[in-house]
């Protein structure tokens, strides 16, 4: 069931060998996390509690109240502190992968305290830098999710795979984009439009629509349909004038009042905290304003099932990578589990590679790092009258991505976005820094982040323009049908001196031939 839900939810673009490995290894990794101290929520009899998430036929999602990612993060970090042979480089910023003799031998990184670029050598390098949601104006992603790891790999010739597939989460707070977790809907929250009507019952969410019994399981779980379809339903409600106009665009309401204060405090305490702190409402008594916001990049650095990229010595895992288990639309709760399974797989592969790799060419990679130091000094610290601002370019980038490569896309808007990103990359050359200090120069790191964002946006827009079909989160109004004959393939975007080169790679099919999404 887990494998089928993942593959069907991903609209058959997931590599099925990777999905099978994922679902088989996930329980072991989750139990390992339990042994390390992750406080999974429990039933009264002591068994691990589960809840349903979007696109699932059965309840299988383990959780820790509504702070699952937070608790996983701290469990892993605190466990890592036990090992004295781990050296952490806190407050360093990676600017370039150091490639010598055909393999990655480390990174050039900026020490924020001193402003110096240093070579950090490694027989194997693993990218785990997360997504790139900040190339859009409304996102659940943290401010640092600017696609750095994807950009690092892209610049040394590694392709970015399936970048056109970007997941909107249907329930983010307007303005901030802060996530109101899917747990709020799995516990019984409902979405209503400005008329107070539960509008999802009017849309095809991959479930039969002729069910009259409101207590039927498929009626109760309409809010747990696939995230892409819930976000598309929101757009259609807006087209009918049934959304609410607000300062940060249209929104609808999420209603969890009927759950009661006791259940909200037990199962959704963080949701209540976020609503109080960022909207000034109490969801025990008031409706929560929500709108679709960018949540997750299904695409990323091209890897195989072991987390290996085409560049020897370079590996990737998590949201910055595309293995691909998520296909055209990620299943709810698979991302945190993916971190465990493919983080471990990438680490084991990196250890195997390091054991047989030759010695690091220390002098050569130090020279490469010094060359990177000169590039950054000459580019950003020479006194020249830059006419462009970082904030101005970033604002134009997020606007063009939302308008041209948002929930619904078509050729004209995608071409406009491709043209705009090309223009912004050219204008970026005129960005000048007002802060020329070396110590904790946040203006410099923000400029470097924008450079990564432009690269990732370029790959995304051109991949979307080239895929003339609709599949999962990639919805083309000018090509509304899924086209398995031409596009049951992964896209691969390679950086060139001009626009990216788009190639295609067959999807791995093992046991589940392509069918209709359910």
């Amino acid at each position: 069931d887990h494998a089928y839900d993942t593959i069907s939810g991903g609209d058959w673009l997931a590599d099925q060998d990777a999905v099978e490995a994922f679902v088989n290894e996930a329980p072991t990794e989750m139990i390992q996390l339990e042994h390390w101290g992750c406080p999974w929520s429990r039933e009264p009899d002591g068994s691990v509690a589960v809840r349903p998430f979007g696109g699932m036929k059965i309840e299988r999602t383990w959780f820790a109240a509504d702070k699952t990612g937070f608790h996983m993060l701290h469990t892993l970090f605190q466990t890592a502190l036990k090992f004295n042979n781990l050296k952490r480089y806190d407050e360093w910023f990676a600017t370039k992968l150091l490639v010598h003799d055909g393999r990655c031998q480390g990174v050039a990184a900026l020490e924020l305290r001193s402003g110096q670029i240093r070579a950090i050598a490694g027989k194997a390098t693993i990218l785990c830098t997360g997504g790139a949601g900040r190339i859009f104006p409304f996102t659940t992603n943290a401010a640092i999710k600017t696609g750095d790891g994807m950009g690092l790999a892209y610049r040394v010739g590694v392709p970015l795979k399936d970048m056109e597939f970007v997941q909107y989460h249907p329930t983010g707070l307007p303005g901030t984009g802060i996530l109101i977790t899917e747990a709020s809907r799995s516990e019984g929250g409902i979405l209503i439009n400005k008329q107070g009507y539960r509008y999802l019952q009017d849309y095809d969410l991959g479930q039969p629509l002729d069910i009259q019994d409101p207590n039927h399981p498929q009626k109760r779980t309409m809010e747990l349909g696939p995230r892409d379809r819930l976000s598309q339903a929101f757009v259609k409600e807006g087209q009918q004038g049934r959304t609410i106009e607000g300062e940060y665009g249209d929104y609808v309401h999420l209603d969890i009042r009927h759950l009661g204060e006791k259940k909200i405090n037990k199962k959704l305490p963080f949701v209540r905290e976020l609503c109080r702190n960022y909207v000034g409402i109490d969801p025990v008594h008031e409706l929560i304003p929500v709108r679709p916001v960018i949540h997750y990049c299904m695409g990323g650095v091209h890897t195989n099932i072991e987390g290996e990229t085409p560049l020897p010595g370079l590996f990737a895992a998590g949201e910055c990578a595309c293995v691909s288990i998520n296909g055209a639309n990620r299943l709810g709760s698979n991302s945190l589990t993916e971190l465990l399974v493919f983080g471990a797989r990438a680490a084991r592969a990196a250890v195997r590679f390091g054991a047989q790799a030759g010695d690091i060419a220390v002098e050569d990679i130090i020279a490469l790092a010094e060359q990177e130091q000169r590039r950054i000094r000459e580019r950003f610290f020479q006194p020249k009258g830059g006419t462009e601002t970082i904030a101005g370019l970033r604002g134009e980038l997020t606007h063009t991505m939302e308008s041209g490569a948002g929930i619904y896309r078509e050729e004209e808007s995608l071409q406009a976005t491709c043209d705009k990103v090309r223009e912004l990359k050219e204008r970026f050359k005129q960005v000048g820094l007002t802060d020329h200090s070396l110590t904790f120069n946040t203006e410099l790191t923000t400029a470097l982040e924008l450079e990564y964002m432009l690269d990732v946006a370029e790959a995304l827009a051109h991949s979307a323009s080239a895929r003339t079909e609709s599949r999962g989160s990639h919805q083309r109004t000018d090509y509304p049908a899924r086209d398995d004959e031409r596009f049951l393939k992964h896209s691969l975007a390679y950086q060139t001196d001009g626009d990216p080169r788009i190639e295609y790679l067959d999807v791995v099919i093992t046991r589940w031939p392509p069918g209709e999404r359910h």
Side-chain angles (χ1 to χ4, degrees):
D1 280 344
H2 189 184
Y4 181 80
D5 286 350
T6 299
I7 292 161
S8 173
D11 225 348
W12 270 269
L13 201 73
D15 284 328
Q16 295 180 14
D17 58 342
V19 172
E20 290 190 76
F22 168 65
V23 301
N24 287 330
E25 295 172 21
T28 302
E29 294 296 339
M30 292 161 73
I31 291 168
Q32 176 67 75
L33 214 62
E34 152 78 8
H35 290 174
W36 283 337
C38 188
W40 302 115
S41 292
R42 302 276 174 172
E43 299 292 356
D45 66 358
S47 61
V48 175
V50 293
R51 58 168 49 129
F53 257 50
M56 296 182 181
K57 290 193 292 291
I58 63 172
E59 298 184 3
R60 72 167 66 87
T61 300
W62 292 24
F63 61 96
D66 59 350
K67 296 184 179 181
T68 310
F70 172 87
H71 288 300
M72 286 176 56
L73 170 71
H74 283 269
T75 300
L76 289 165
F77 182 72
Q78 289 166 18
T79 301
L81 293 178
K82 296 178 182 179
F83 299 94
N84 294 327
N85 59 337
L86 291 177
K87 182 171 183 181
R88 299 204 324 275
Y89 289 85
D90 294 327
E91 296 182 336
W92 289 66
F93 185 100
T95 67
K96 184 179 183 179
L97 294 173
L98 300 178
V99 180
H100 177 73
D101 198 22
R103 65 185 174 103
C104 183
Q105 301 193 26
V107 298
L110 172 71
E111 185 183 28
L112 300 182
R113 183 176 58 183
S114 68
Q116 302 300 308
I117 297 280
R118 297 282 185 261
I120 301 178
K123 289 188 175 182
T125 302
I126 305 175
L127 297 171
C128 38
T129 54
R134 286 285 156 180
I135 64 176
F136 289 86
F138 299 103
T139 176
T140 64
N141 290 189
I144 61 170
K145 295 303 165 208
T146 49
D148 301 14
M150 298 176 190
L152 285 168
Y154 186 57
R155 292 173 188 174
V156 294
V158 176
L160 299 184
K161 183 164 71 180
D162 293 342
M163 289 302 295
E164 61 268 43
F165 299 103
V166 181
Q167 184 174 83
Y168 277 76
H169 197 291
T171 55
L173 293 178
T176 63
I178 289 171
L179 175 68
I180 299 300
T181 173
E182 195 155 303
S184 58
R185 287 173 283 125
S186 73
E187 294 297 338
I190 62 172
L191 289 167
I192 56 177
N193 62 20
K194 75 176 183 181
Q195 298 159 349
Y197 176 66
R198 193 179 179 188
Y199 61 88
L200 289 176
Q201 60 192 293
D202 295 343
Y203 295 92
D204 179 6
L205 303 176
Q207 302 167 342
L209 297 180
D210 57 354
I211 300 168
Q212 300 302 316
D213 178 8
N215 294 315
H216 189 284
Q218 287 184 315
K219 275 291 189 184
R220 294 202 308 270
T221 60
M222 67 179 77
E223 274 77 14
L224 293 178
R227 291 170 177 173
D228 57 339
R229 287 183 168 165
L230 265 62
S231 298
Q232 291 154 21
F234 171 89
V235 172
K236 291 174 180 174
E237 282 294 291
Q239 291 169 348
Q240 299 296 320
R242 294 195 289 261
T243 53
I244 305 157
E245 291 185 22
E247 181 182 356
Y248 302 103
D250 289 0
Y251 64 91
V252 290
H253 281 127
L254 174 64
D255 188 359
I256 63 171
R257 296 173 298 177
H258 52 285
L259 301 181
E261 186 170 12
K262 183 178 179 181
K263 185 171 186 177
I264 290 172
N265 284 342
K266 180 180 180 182
K267 295 289 187 72
L268 303 168
F270 196 42
V271 167
R272 190 178 190 187
E273 182 182 329
L274 289 172
C275 289
R276 282 173 156 172
N277 291 345
Y278 293 97
V279 194
I281 65 167
D282 186 347
V284 171
H285 307 292
E286 298 168 89
L287 298 169
I288 307 170
V290 293
R291 58 158 289 163
V293 293
I294 292 289
H295 184 52
Y296 190 87
C297 295
M298 271 72 76
V301 179
H302 173 39
T303 75
N304 65 12
I305 197 170
E306 302 297 342
E308 297 171 312
T309 75
L311 177 64
L314 182 65
F315 303 78
E319 191 178 352
C320 79
C322 182
V323 62
S324 152
I325 67 162
N326 297 311
N329 176 59
R330 179 174 67 76
L331 197 69
S333 78
N334 267 1
S335 61
L336 293 181
T337 326
E338 179 186 7
L339 299 178
L340 301 177
V341 172
F342 289 99
R345 273 184 166 253
R348 288 192 291 265
V351 168
R352 289 194 297 269
F353 181 89
Q356 54 84 40
D359 291 338
I360 293 170
V362 177
E363 291 184 4
D364 293 291
I365 69 162
I366 289 175
L368 288 171
E370 290 172 348
Q371 181 182 326
E372 176 70 354
Q373 175 97 57
R374 288 193 297 273
R375 180 189 77 86
I376 289 177
R377 286 276 168 86
E378 291 169 7
R379 169 63 188 85
F380 293 108
F381 288 92
Q382 297 298 332
K384 62 178 182 180
T387 56
E388 299 286 352
T389 66
I390 298 169
L393 294 183
R394 187 174 57 208
E396 290 186 47
L397 173 65
T398 61
H399 176 75
T400 193
M401 295 305 293
E402 177 85 356
S403 62
I407 294 175
Y408 283 102
R409 304 160 172 182
E410 44 87 25
E411 184 58 38
E412 186 178 347
S413 67
L414 282 168
Q415 189 56 54
T417 295
C418 291
D419 294 343
K420 186 66 174 181
V421 172
R422 188 184 307 114
E423 173 202 319
L424 293 173
K425 290 191 77 169
E426 191 62 30
R427 288 167 56 192
F428 180 79
K429 297 174 183 177
Q430 300 304 315
V431 166
L433 300 188
T434 57
D435 183 359
H436 286 182
S437 64
L438 295 178
T439 303
F440 289 104
N441 189 331
T442 55
E443 189 181 19
L444 172 61
T445 53
T446 304
L448 295 170
E449 287 174 336
L450 177 57
E451 202 169 17
Y452 287 132
M453 291 165 70
L454 290 165
D455 281 348
V456 172
E458 169 189 82
L460 192 161
H462 283 273
S463 297
S465 179
R467 185 176 288 272
T468 52
E469 67 157 356
S470 289
R471 184 186 297 269
S473 64
H474 175 67
Q475 291 294 307
R476 292 283 297 258
T477 56
D478 47 354
Y479 296 96
R482 196 178 86 189
D483 185 354
D484 285 348
E485 187 174 337
R486 295 179 59 214
F487 288 109
L488 188 61
K489 298 175 184 293
H490 300 295
S491 64
L492 298 173
Y494 291 84
Q495 189 178 52
T496 71
D497 291 337
D499 292 338
R501 182 178 81 256
I502 308 297
E503 297 182 3
Y504 291 94
L505 178 70
D506 287 340
V507 172
V508 177
I509 306 290
T510 58
R511 296 167 51 191
W512 295 273
E516 292 298 316
R517 281 182 72 187
H518 296 293

